[in-house]
Amino acid sequence: SDLKTYAFETLAVHAGVRPDPVTGAILTPIYQSTTFVQESIDKYCAKGYSYTRSANPTVAALEEKLAALEHGAAATVYATGMAATTTAISTFMSKGDHAIITNCSYGGTNRACRVFFDRMGMEFTFVGMDDEELAEVKAAIKPNTKLILSESPANPTCSLTDLEALSKICKANNIVHVCDNTFASAYICRPIDFGAEVVLISTTKFVDGHNMTVGGALVTSTKELSDKLRFTQNILGNNMSPQVAFYQLQTVKTMSLRVKRQSETAMIVAKFLESHPKVEKVCYPGLASHPQKKIADKQHANGNHGGMLWFEVRGGTEAGRKLMDTVVRPWSLCENLGATESIITCPSVMTHANMLTEDRLKVGITDGFVRVSCGIEDPEDLVAALKAALDNL
């Protein structure tokens, strides 16, 4: 049947998956095989598979599913989110080319451009992408600009980018627009619908959603773009393993249930934090106080705004760090986000420590900045634990 007629929730369960032709198994088997036997030299790769680095049936099922969820034409999946990021840059950039990167991105993205690709004669400009006019982006475009990488909501500041407006700028200047959709997830936002050509996902986060595996994906608006990425992937050999693909094929089925619940919980937590006297500032795209509420309402589907928010407490760094050190279960102090467990992260030490300090502070990631990833626990239990820690400051 035609997948395009199905709703997101149905696609999450059924896209890319067919009963096993040999046994009728309802789940795609784990094809834990290095190589695939060929019928003859003339029929080499006739079934689509020869060697698991290049392609694997379990992995292909996840690629098909993620492409359907993001309204893309095709997808490639990777060993980690960073493998996806570095493959995208390696594919669309060459020596002497210039890219514009959001000045607030995952720390690993920032570092890859600044200390790795920079060495290879590529040039990067980091600019804000949260202003309505996208003035900084327009001003940064050069004749050799080949790539623009956006993140919306951005990690960890939750600032938003008008993806439709940015995509129009990219198309007018023949620039590839890669949008990191990790924070939102396809359930909330589909950047390809807003004109982006490539969607970057750390599938470790909301696709896995259980703190189990790491992975990445690049979903593209055309098959041609995906073929280019696959060519690079086959050279770099950073493909996802069949075992991880099997896990993520299962976990993604409940993504809509989880993200809806996480969004509801994040709203409850954000409103509680806004009301607490020890809290200086709260940022969540669902709050009326978010500076870009208009973009949030335009880009985020079904009134859901994701499980991610941040806040700062009165008393600066010391108080913020004391809170992170003393908040009890159900909260966990660790890296990662988007999981069933609620997580508190200190970006200045954990996820964004690899940024230059001045760049980090410029975008507002202070030493006492508290990043929050809401899980699926009872919201009242989460609020009670936060209240106890805040009251104790």
Side-chain angles (χ1 to χ4, degrees):
S1 62
D2 186 17
L3 287 175
K4 286 185 171 53
T5 61
Y6 287 143
F8 184 95
E9 292 81 352
T10 309
L11 288 174
V13 177
H14 293 286
V17 178
R18 294 152 198 86
D20 178 48
V22 180
T23 64
I26 196 166
L27 301 183
T28 305
I30 306 168
Y31 287 92
Q32 194 64 58
S33 184
T34 306
T35 191
F36 300 83
V37 177
Q38 307 300 313
E39 226 177 296
S40 69
I41 293 168
D42 285 345
K43 289 183 181 174
Y44 173 68
C45 240
K47 292 175 182 170
Y49 304 99
S50 69
Y51 191 69
T52 276
R53 188 188 74 233
S54 308
N56 175 282
T58 314
V59 174
L62 180 63
E63 289 173 337
E64 197 180 322
K65 191 186 287 286
L66 294 179
L69 291 178
E70 288 282 359
H71 285 173
T76 42
V77 293
Y78 299 85
T80 65
M82 279 310 299
T85 303
T86 52
T87 299
I89 296 169
S90 302
T91 300
F92 301 122
M93 296 278 288
S94 297
K95 184 180 174 182
D97 287 344
H98 173 248
I100 301 169
I101 313 287
T102 172
N103 65 1
C104 184
S105 70
Y106 169 56
T109 304
N110 178 288
R111 173 174 59 182
C113 298
R114 221 169 20 83
V115 307
F116 181 74
F117 287 108
D118 200 51
R119 270 193 0 234
M120 296 172 191
M122 300 173 193
E123 199 188 345
F124 298 90
T125 307
F126 299 90
V127 303
M129 296 188 182
D130 54 355
D131 61 312
E132 223 170 309
E133 301 301 312
L134 292 167
E136 285 189 51
V137 173
K138 289 173 185 167
I141 293 173
K142 301 177 179 190
N144 61 338
T145 306
K146 296 287 161 64
L147 170 74
I148 291 181
L149 196 152
S150 65
E151 246 187 51
S152 187
N155 181 0
T157 62
C158 295
S159 62
L160 307 175
T161 298
D162 185 333
L163 299 177
E164 198 173 5
L166 183 58
S167 296
K168 279 178 182 160
I169 293 169
C170 290
K171 282 197 169 61
N173 291 279
N174 206 19
I175 297 166
V176 177
H177 177 195
V178 176
C179 175
D180 187 335
N181 197 35
T182 301
F183 254 44
S185 84
Y187 181 62
I188 285 176
C189 179
R190 285 155 156 164
I192 287 171
D193 288 354
F194 293 102
E197 288 164 295
V198 183
V199 177
L200 164 63
I201 312 160
S202 170
T203 60
T204 309
K205 314 304 191 291
F206 290 99
V207 171
D208 171 301
H210 291 72
N211 281 317
M212 267 195 315
T213 63
V214 291
L218 293 166
V219 182
T220 57
S221 59
T222 66
K223 188 175 180 300
E224 291 73 33
L225 283 169
S226 199
D227 289 345
K228 285 182 181 178
L229 291 162
R230 198 175 290 285
F231 180 78
T232 308
Q233 178 183 49
N234 198 34
I235 290 169
L236 296 176
N238 54 15
N239 49 295
M240 183 182 281
S241 73
Q243 188 76 42
V244 169
F246 177 80
Y247 288 141
Q248 294 193 1
L249 275 165
Q250 314 323 318
T251 56
V252 74
K253 291 175 186 175
T254 59
M255 187 160 82
S256 58
L257 300 173
R258 288 183 279 107
V259 174
K260 191 174 190 304
R261 174 61 179 252
Q262 288 165 308
S263 298
E264 288 163 4
T265 298
M267 192 63 148
I268 293 166
V269 169
K271 283 182 167 167
F272 158 72
L273 290 167
E274 268 197 325
S275 73
H276 198 285
K278 297 255 175 89
V279 175
E280 182 84 49
K281 190 178 181 187
V282 187
C283 184
Y284 177 62
L287 289 174
S289 59
H290 192 284
Q292 297 159 291
K293 187 73 176 78
K294 209 166 75 179
I295 296 178
D297 291 339
K298 175 189 161 184
Q299 281 177 192
H300 297 168
N302 316 314
N304 290 304
H305 297 284
M308 301 302 300
L309 60 110
W310 65 269
F311 69 99
E312 283 180 309
V313 295
R314 298 188 195 283
T317 301
E318 203 182 326
R321 293 196 168 189
K322 184 185 174 187
L323 173 97
M324 289 185 259
D325 283 342
T326 56
V327 71
V328 295
R329 286 283 191 181
W331 295 97
S332 302
L333 175 67
C334 56
E335 301 197 36
N336 204 21
L337 62 99
T340 47
E341 290 81 9
S342 291
I343 288 172
I344 275 183
T345 302
C346 179
S348 62
V349 171
M350 298 178 181
T351 52
H352 290 68
N354 43 31
M355 281 178 81
L356 294 172
T357 307
E358 60 265 34
D359 291 347
R360 178 167 61 74
L361 294 171
K362 199 172 107 184
V363 295
I365 310 167
T366 60
D367 292 345
F369 184 110
V370 184
R371 190 184 79 172
V372 177
S373 174
C374 294
I376 62 167
E377 305 94 340
D378 182 81
E380 286 178 29
D381 290 338
L382 293 168
V383 165
L386 275 174
K387 186 179 186 306
L390 284 164
D391 290 347
N392 216 17
L393 290 179

